[in-house]
Amino acid sequence: MKNVSDDHLEGIYTPNQDTAFANVVLHDYLDTIKTNVLITPPDKTALIFADQSISYHEVGHHVAVMMATFRQQGIRAGSVVAICLHKSPEHIYTTIACALMGIVWLPIDIQAPRSRIDYLLTNSRADFAVSQGPLSQLSGIQITTIDIDTARGHNDPIDLRDWSCVYDLSRRPAYYLYTSGSTGKPKCVVLNNQATANVLQQTIAHWDVTHNDVFMASTPFHHDMSVFDIFTPLSVAATLVIPTTEQQKDAGAWAALIAKHHITLWCSVPAIVDMLLTVSGHDQIKTLRLIAQGGDYIKPSIITLLKQTLPQARQFSLGGPTETTIWSIWHEVLDDDQHIIPYGKALAHNQYHILNEQHAPCETSTIGTMYMSGINLSNGYLLDGETHHNDFMPIKTTNGDVVMAFKMSDLGYYRDDGAIIFSGRKEGYLKVKGVRIAASEVENALSTYPAIHHAVVISCTHPTTDINELVALYTIKNTHDTSSTNRLPKQQLSAFDLRTYLKDQLPSSHIPSKFLLIDDIPLTANSKVDRNKLLSLAQERLSIAPTPVIAGTPTDSSLSAEVIDTVLTLFKNYLPKHQIQTLEGDTQLFALSIKPKQLMTIATQLSQQLNVSLDFYSLVVCKTLGEVMIKAQLALDRQ
């Protein structure tokens, strides 16, 4: 069994740097969680899941059970445990048990393709995996699986006061998180308790978080912002609401949860806030006292709408890549922030630097590359069990000191007041709906499709929804090449086929929503792919693309041929021939005599073919085929 050791600290933290923050007094959030489950009154709710209220004492019991299970398995501090569970209370019990025992925990996106999960487990050198049932089709990976249902049946007496905690708030590796990498493979970031404690402590104080707050776990547990969701509520004896699998992609369900449980704090990517505002009424979300958005560009229009809807609520923008721990820069949005939402200023004990190509500090209003140094710095990247420090480098500060810093793909400049303004990203990384995506990762997967010759992936702004979406532009192989077995006419490939193909290689967040066929890939004078020209081309085509017309279909400038054809084809499968010929957009669903089971099947097939989330209840409220098309298009656009 391989244990994580101090090797992770070599090459990046010299003794002076490692002790630079030794005098910083940090609140022990893990010890507070342990205390809270012991002394919090029995009627205080810690977690709410599927209408079930779970008390602090119950959380303590479940955590103690997991710790006992780990001890029985011989899992000790430094072991690596992969958490392969859906978002659930069990996921939280397992995470806290690992953290208290000094076990390195790794949350896995179990919705990811099997091949990707195999890579995450292999690269991280995980010793154990906690899952619900066995992990199927693992490609020869030697890993011991702990079934969560079996662990919950642990019958030995549990003493909550004897948890055998061996963690510390040091820079020793505490947990791993995967993020996209420029090499085309996910990067495993090694994170520590010291940095995490700083973020939680600064945020709790700055946001005035108390035991009276109610949080919403809106972020997937394998993303860095969820670390705040998991640990903060329990460390202040507050309450965390966890949406079920069915509720996680349903904005209407989020609004209902806010109203029902009087949620006060909301923290998510901007696209999620946008969806929430689209479907909710003021009365449903009026209990929100603070909304924080991070992980992507925040549109001023969202800020304006929030101010109109919740004028008393505080608003924050959050930033910083995974390598700088949860968030490392922020800005409280005030009335003066009308046209540009600042990236902000660094959290305490951190510093942001904007440098030019010669690594010299940029003057105010001059755009440069962002670097970050300070207590929030992670330990580096894990590659095949070894730590690497790509993008971590020594830089000279304006005071002449040399510090270790992380070089970002973000560009920005200093405003006169010292706040940083975000100015885009360097080539290679995209940020879509809060997820950092390496373009090369998606391009590599697309390029393996038999008919595609060259593919470039960019991020575009949807002309109707104003939401960033992932768009793939591609060329097809030479159809005149007689040696090719993949000769195809030069026409647009099926978006459905491309999505289906990518599902086996990429998570849903990395699958483009649009695929555009082009004749040639434009190049710059240096013979590099001209991504700026491709962005302009894609933006233009998305904006002026003609809308296919069907008699009686409600007009919607974003309704695509793919959605129309998919909806019509699926409904045709359940109709006699004489009805197929009369299908139109304004055809009433009740006139088609579609049975409930058939509509459920159609909803499932629509979801699969368009790679969206639509259920029976989404379609049963539609009166016409046109309304079904619009629902499907909206789901596709918000994907």
Side-chain angles (χ1 to χ4, degrees):
M1 180 185 302
K2 179 177 173 59
N3 290 312
V4 179
S5 69
D6 290 337
D7 293 342
H8 286 265
L9 307 178
E10 294 177 0
I12 181 167
Y13 296 108
T14 66
N16 288 337
Q17 290 165 336
D18 199 26
T19 59
F21 306 105
N23 295 326
V24 175
V25 178
L26 294 173
H27 180 68
D28 190 338
Y29 64 99
L30 290 172
D31 183 68
T32 307
I33 290 174
K34 178 182 176 182
T35 301
N36 285 342
V37 300
L38 292 172
I39 68 171
T40 303
D43 60 345
K44 176 63 176 180
T45 297
L47 307 175
I48 297 175
F49 179 74
D51 291 327
Q52 177 189 5
S53 294
I54 304 169
S55 70
Y56 270 83
H57 182 81
E58 290 173 303
V59 168
H61 172 78
H62 290 299
V63 171
V65 165
M66 290 306 302
M67 294 175 74
T69 300
F70 289 158
R71 287 195 295 269
Q72 281 187 347
Q73 292 285 341
I75 306 176
R76 60 185 185 274
S79 300
V80 180
V81 171
I83 305 175
C84 305
L85 298 170
H86 288 285
K87 183 187 285 189
S88 61
E90 289 72 25
H91 198 300
I92 291 179
Y93 307 150
T94 306
T95 301
I96 295 174
C98 288
L100 289 171
M101 293 181 68
I103 297 167
V104 178
W105 50 277
L106 165 64
I108 296 288
D109 176 11
I110 61 173
Q111 301 298 326
R114 183 73 267 165
S115 59
R116 187 182 182 91
I117 294 177
D118 286 355
Y119 173 77
L120 304 186
L121 295 175
T122 302
N123 176 70
S124 65
R125 297 293 195 268
D127 303 301
F128 296 85
V130 178
S131 65
Q132 191 161 31
L135 290 175
S136 60
Q137 302 176 6
L138 286 172
S139 303
I141 298 175
Q142 299 299 316
I143 186 169
T144 303
T145 302
I146 299 172
D147 180 65
I148 190 67
D149 293 326
T150 302
R152 286 187 300 186
H154 191 285
N155 293 320
D156 290 350
I158 300 295
D159 187 349
L160 299 184
R161 294 166 296 182
D162 180 23
W163 278 15
S164 303
C165 302
V166 294
Y167 71 90
D168 55 42
L169 298 187
S170 70
R171 305 201 71 82
R172 194 176 303 278
Y175 58 102
Y176 298 156
L177 292 175
Y178 275 95
T179 186
S180 282
S182 58
T183 61
K185 287 188 176 181
K187 286 184 175 181
C188 182
V189 184
V190 181
L191 297 125
N192 61 76
N193 283 333
Q194 186 186 60
T196 302
N198 185 63
V199 177
L200 301 191
Q201 179 170 303
Q202 300 299 325
T203 306
I204 289 169
H206 205 56
W207 293 2
D208 299 318
V209 179
T210 73
H211 66 280
N212 293 318
D213 280 307
V214 182
F215 294 67
M216 171 80 159
S218 56
T219 302
F221 282 171
H222 57 279
H223 288 179
D224 53 358
M225 288 175 70
S226 71
V227 176
F228 173 81
D229 293 340
I230 293 173
F231 290 104
T232 305
L234 298 179
S235 70
V236 298
T239 300
L240 176 65
V241 178
I242 308 169
T244 63
T245 302
E246 293 75 20
Q247 294 168 333
Q248 287 171 22
K249 294 184 178 181
D250 186 347
W254 309 337
L257 288 173
I258 294 172
K260 181 175 182 178
H261 301 297
H262 302 106
I263 292 172
T264 60
L265 283 173
W266 183 278
C267 183
S268 74
V269 297
I272 297 297
V273 175
D274 201 357
M275 292 171 64
L276 175 66
L277 290 175
T278 300
V279 304
S280 64
H282 171 264
D283 288 343
Q284 288 181 295
I285 62 174
K286 63 184 180 182
T287 59
L288 292 177
R289 70 168 187 85
L290 188 146
I291 301 99
Q293 304 177 65
D296 206 348
Y297 172 71
I298 302 174
K299 297 183 297 183
S301 58
I302 294 181
I303 297 298
T304 300
L305 184 55
L306 277 171
K307 288 179 179 178
Q308 294 171 349
T309 308
L310 300 168
Q312 303 305 317
R314 297 175 70 186
Q315 295 190 55
F316 282 83
S317 69
L318 309 170
T322 303
E323 291 86 346
T324 65
T325 311
I326 313 179
W327 49 75
S328 53
I329 189 169
W330 56 13
H331 175 79
E332 182 163 10
V333 182
L334 303 174
D335 291 339
D336 293 339
D337 301 313
Q338 297 290 333
H339 306 294
I340 296 178
I341 310 304
Y343 206 40
K345 298 181 180 180
L347 270 67
H349 313 304
N350 296 293
Q351 185 176 0
Y352 267 65
H353 315 264
I354 298 181
L355 309 180
N356 59 24
E357 292 184 357
Q358 289 73 43
H359 294 168
C362 292
E363 297 180 356
T364 300
S365 301
T366 301
I367 295 176
T369 300
M370 293 190 203
Y371 294 72
M372 196 224 73
S373 63
I375 197 171
N376 272 35
L377 209 61
S378 64
N379 296 32
Y381 299 111
L382 195 71
L383 180 61
D384 294 329
E386 301 295 331
T387 306
H388 296 260
H389 307 113
N390 301 339
D391 299 325
F392 292 80
M393 59 191 66
I395 64 169
K396 185 175 290 186
T397 69
T398 54
N399 297 327
D401 299 327
V402 176
V403 297
M404 192 61 65
F406 174 71
K407 180 181 180 181
M408 305 180 191
S409 58
D410 297 337
L411 303 174
Y413 64 89
Y414 282 113
R415 200 167 61 177
D416 290 339
D417 63 356
I420 292 176
I421 305 299
F422 177 78
S423 301
R425 290 185 173 85
K426 293 184 177 180
E427 292 181 359
Y429 285 103
L430 306 171
K431 208 62 172 287
V432 179
K433 299 173 185 174
V435 179
R436 191 176 79 174
I437 299 171
S440 60
E441 186 176 1
V442 186
E443 290 165 359
N444 290 346
L446 264 176
S447 296
T448 62
Y449 190 83
I452 288 181
H453 175 61
H454 196 160
V456 178
V457 176
I458 58 176
S459 172
C460 285
T461 302
H462 192 284
T464 302
T465 64
D466 202 27
I467 292 176
N468 277 359
E469 59 181 326
L470 206 61
V471 176
L473 299 98
Y474 66 92
T475 60
I476 58 177
K477 293 182 177 178
N478 188 348
T479 56
H480 301 293
D481 182 1
T482 56
S483 66
S484 174
T485 58
N486 301 301
R487 284 178 288 173
L488 294 170
K490 200 168 187 180
Q491 61 183 21
Q492 186 90 10
L493 299 173
S494 164
F496 169 68
D497 290 342
L498 291 173
R499 285 199 188 94
T500 302
Y501 181 78
L502 292 177
K503 280 181 181 179
D504 293 330
Q505 305 179 60
L506 300 169
S508 59
S509 58
H510 288 46
I511 297 177
S513 57
K514 300 287 189 302
F515 298 88
L516 303 177
L517 172 65
I518 57 178
D519 292 329
D520 298 292
I521 301 293
L523 303 177
T524 65
N526 296 326
S527 297
K528 295 182 179 180
V529 173
D530 192 339
R531 292 179 181 269
N532 289 332
K533 185 174 289 186
L534 287 172
L535 176 60
S536 298
L537 173 63
Q539 203 70 62
E540 180 182 2
R541 286 181 56 174
L542 290 176
S543 299
I544 67 173
T547 301
V549 177
I550 304 177
T553 300
T555 57
D556 187 325
S557 60
S558 64
L559 206 58
S560 66
E562 178 188 11
V563 166
I564 293 173
D565 291 342
T566 303
V567 171
L568 288 179
T569 300
L570 289 176
F571 274 89
K572 286 177 181 178
N573 292 335
Y574 297 95
L575 300 176
K577 290 184 179 180
H578 72 275
Q579 278 188 298
I580 291 176
Q581 297 174 355
T582 61
L583 273 189
E584 296 179 342
D586 58 2
T587 298
Q588 299 287 318
L589 291 188
F590 74 84
L592 300 179
S593 300
I594 297 290
K595 298 178 180 179
K597 286 188 177 180
Q598 293 173 327
L599 194 60
M600 291 176 67
T601 302
I602 290 173
T604 301
Q605 292 173 331
L606 262 179
S607 298
Q608 293 172 346
Q609 295 190 24
L610 296 177
N611 191 32
V612 299
S613 178
L614 284 172
D615 57 23
F616 168 76
Y617 299 102
S618 301
L619 302 189
V620 76
V621 296
C622 296
K623 295 180 180 179
T624 66
L625 278 178
E627 291 183 18
V628 174
M629 296 171 190
I630 291 173
K631 284 227 174 194
Q633 186 68 56
L634 287 173
L636 184 62
D637 291 341
R638 291 174 176 168
Q639 187 181 40

